[in-house]
Amino acid sequence: MEAESRSLAVLNCGELLTLAGPARPRVRDELKELSIIKDGAMLVRDGVIERVGTTEEVRSELGPGNKILDGAGRVVLPGFVDAHTHPVFAGTRVDEFELRTTGTTYEQIAERGGGIRSTVRKTRAASEQELFDGAQRYSSWFLRTGTTTIEAKSGYGLSVEDELKVLRVIRRLGEVHSPAYVPTFLGAHEIPDEYRGKASEYVNLVINEMLPAVAKLGLAEYCDVFCEPKVFDVATSRRILQAARALGLKLRLHADQLSRSGAAELAAEMNAVTADHLERIDNSGIEVLAAARVQPVLLPASVYTLGTGGFAPARKMIDAGLAVVLATDFNPGSSPTPSLPFVLSIACTHMRMTPAETLTATTVNAAYSLGRGNCIGSLEPGKRADFVIHDCRDYREISYFSGIESAEAVFVGGEVVFRRSQTSA
Ligand code: NIG
Ligand code: FE
């Protein structure tokens, strides 16, 4: 019985989006190529994809005792990979959200001591268990929208102890819960209250105490910095990234979000894996990223939420050969959404990406940006069976219908981790 229950055949998938292709991030026209199998099927053994083909092909090879899952003509695709989130925080910023409706800007709120710093105060006051409980709730939100792997940043602790506390929560989330988590240290997210006016002392704390402790405990794979003239300028960001790299961490960077500061060039110079946001990037910045093969991670839900317009120039980036990624930027301030389908809708309507391109940007390209392109992001033999059955017949419906949740059943390693209850027909 044990051996039998470990193999699962998924049959009758109206469209099986395998995303099969070259074993690297996809660029230019490759972003449109989803490698769809009509009436597709997949055989999963011990949590790993063994065979992909048509239903007829896979059915003819089935032995007795295979567990069968009927795709019922639905669209099946790899679990989404969300390559940029800030999911561990206490409280909300719903008061600031309301204030912004009256015209106060995100930057003005931050200058008055709100914004990231207000979440830092609440996060410091919260216990590890409280933060874990809150983040588990958000974990379930990611899953129900079809996301199976999340990059998660610290950055609301901003003291040695509180940053470690947040990173321990991220580690625990990955141990006990699906989706899978990829941890990133973002101690350089903001200058906390007690270091106002002495920013260089805070930078020294990040470099001399936080980073070594994080690296020693193995609590992060990546280091990120909020590179922005009024927060961590290019020279300061460089110092932090150099220290992180020397400790063996890989690099990501919040770049050219609120101003064009040369952060894209810094990402290229430092061989960062990704440069994220890039709403203010220009043509020369795009060329620099292309030459250095830095992957842009675009976060249109934050532009939508801040209501400022100015989406990142995704089309120009695709034309320049960049391996574009889309992510939610889930956080309590600029982007309180865990929904990649919502991001796909914005990317199609405001960035002129095609529905197919948005799916490549949130599966295989996102997986490569997290160093996991060899085990997730596409449905190919040898990869982990992270897949989602969406309640639609045409994959374009995922970005077309907005404000609904199409994910009907979500699987991680071949095990069901979310199933929508059938309350209505
Ligand atoms: O990516 N820009 C910096 N960090 C986040 C916002 C975090 C917050 O507002 O709490 C971002 O948009
Ligand atoms: Fe962010």
Side-chain angles (χ1 to χ4, degrees):
M1 277 307 283
E2 177 70 7
E4 286 169 10
S5 64
R6 283 165 168 246
S7 88
L8 171 71
V10 191
L11 305 178
N12 306 320
C13 307
E15 295 182 342
L16 182 69
L17 276 56
T18 68
L19 278 293
R24 54 165 172 75
R26 311 292 160 77
V27 295
R28 301 183 195 272
D29 280 350
E30 292 169 355
L31 277 145
K32 293 195 174 75
E33 181 49 68
L34 302 177
S35 299
I36 300 174
I37 303 176
K38 298 264 186 196
D39 194 14
M42 202 164 51
L43 184 64
V44 173
R45 199 177 300 279
D46 294 330
V48 175
I49 300 169
E50 188 175 274
R51 167 89 164 101
V52 178
T54 62
T55 296
E56 204 183 325
E57 287 165 349
V58 172
R59 199 196 294 278
S60 70
E61 295 163 19
L62 289 184
N66 277 292
K67 209 164 127 188
I68 291 185
L69 179 71
D70 183 8
R74 307 275 203 267
V75 171
V76 176
L77 62 147
F80 288 126
V81 177
D82 194 341
H84 182 136
T85 84
H86 309 246
V88 180
F89 54 85
T92 68
R93 299 230 291 279
V94 72
D95 46 353
E96 295 178 6
F97 175 73
E98 184 173 25
L99 198 58
R100 286 205 304 274
T101 65
T102 64
T104 312
T105 67
Y106 182 75
E107 286 99 320
Q108 285 166 341
I109 291 168
E111 274 157 25
R112 293 175 199 166
I116 295 170
R117 280 190 283 153
S118 82
T119 298
V120 169
R121 282 175 222 121
K122 293 177 210 158
T123 303
R124 286 177 173 179
S127 71
E128 200 164 318
Q129 187 61 40
E130 284 165 343
L131 290 173
F132 180 76
D133 293 343
Q136 264 204 309
R137 178 166 172 248
Y138 304 135
S139 255
S140 71
W141 292 357
F142 282 103
L143 274 186
R144 63 182 292 145
T145 57
T147 297
T148 50
T149 297
I150 300 171
E151 183 262 11
K153 303 174 194 297
S154 68
Y156 294 116
L158 308 191
S159 68
V160 177
E161 254 329 294
D162 291 299
E163 280 297 294
L164 294 180
K165 175 175 75 175
V166 169
L167 287 168
R168 282 194 302 268
V169 170
I170 295 171
R171 180 169 64 188
R172 223 177 119 196
L173 287 164
E175 281 166 2
V176 304
H177 205 277
S178 293
Y181 280 77
V182 179
T184 294
F185 169 65
L186 179 58
H189 193 197
E190 176 56 296
I191 309 294
D193 293 342
E194 67 277 19
Y195 283 94
R196 299 311 276 189
K198 38 183 186 172
S200 64
E201 285 180 36
Y202 182 66
V203 174
N204 289 340
L205 181 77
V206 171
I207 292 175
N208 299 329
E209 295 187 43
M210 289 186 198
L211 269 170
V214 169
K216 185 164 168 248
L217 295 165
L219 282 170
E221 250 178 71
Y222 293 88
C223 176
D224 191 348
V225 173
F226 183 23
C227 183
E228 193 63 45
K230 286 188 187 156
V231 193
F232 300 97
D233 63 17
V234 167
T236 306
S237 301
R238 181 184 288 110
R239 279 181 57 212
I240 298 167
L241 295 175
Q242 280 171 340
R245 195 168 60 182
L247 290 163
L249 294 171
K250 294 176 280 183
L251 310 178
R252 317 178 84 78
L253 192 64
H254 279 70
D256 295 341
Q257 177 186 10
L258 306 173
S259 56
R260 174 83 178 103
S261 66
E265 283 76 3
L266 179 64
E269 172 196 325
M270 293 301 300
N271 271 315
V273 182
T274 66
D276 302 37
H277 278 289
L278 302 174
E279 286 89 5
R280 307 285 164 158
I281 200 169
D282 55 19
N283 292 346
S284 72
I286 291 175
E287 278 168 29
V288 169
L289 292 181
R293 292 175 185 264
V294 177
Q295 284 193 261
V297 179
L298 308 184
L299 309 165
S302 66
V303 179
Y304 165 87
T305 301
L306 297 181
T308 47
F311 291 91
R315 283 256 64 88
K316 282 187 181 176
M317 292 179 182
I318 293 171
D319 290 346
L322 293 182
V324 169
V325 176
L326 288 164
T328 62
D329 196 16
F330 177 62
N331 74 71
S334 65
S335 192
T337 178
S339 170
L340 277 171
F342 177 54
V343 167
L344 304 192
S345 167
I346 306 174
C348 290
T349 53
H350 291 281
M351 298 162 93
R352 297 175 171 233
M353 289 178 70
T354 68
E357 289 172 331
T358 63
L359 290 176
T360 302
T362 47
T363 54
V364 70
N365 275 12
Y368 276 104
S369 87
L370 293 174
R372 282 157 172 75
N374 59 348
C375 62
I376 54 171
S378 67
L379 302 178
E380 295 178 273
K383 289 202 175 182
R384 195 166 75 206
D386 290 6
F387 63 95
V388 180
I389 301 176
H390 285 267
D391 180 18
C392 50
R393 299 288 191 281
D394 179 323
Y395 73 85
R396 294 172 298 182
E397 293 173 35
I398 297 170
S399 44
Y400 164 74
F401 285 120
S402 57
I404 55 114
E405 293 180 333
S406 60
E408 205 172 69
V410 181
F411 293 77
V412 170
E415 301 288 333
V416 67
V417 290
F418 171 78
R419 196 185 288 278
R420 185 174 310 288
S421 58
Q422 305 282 307
T423 45
S424 59

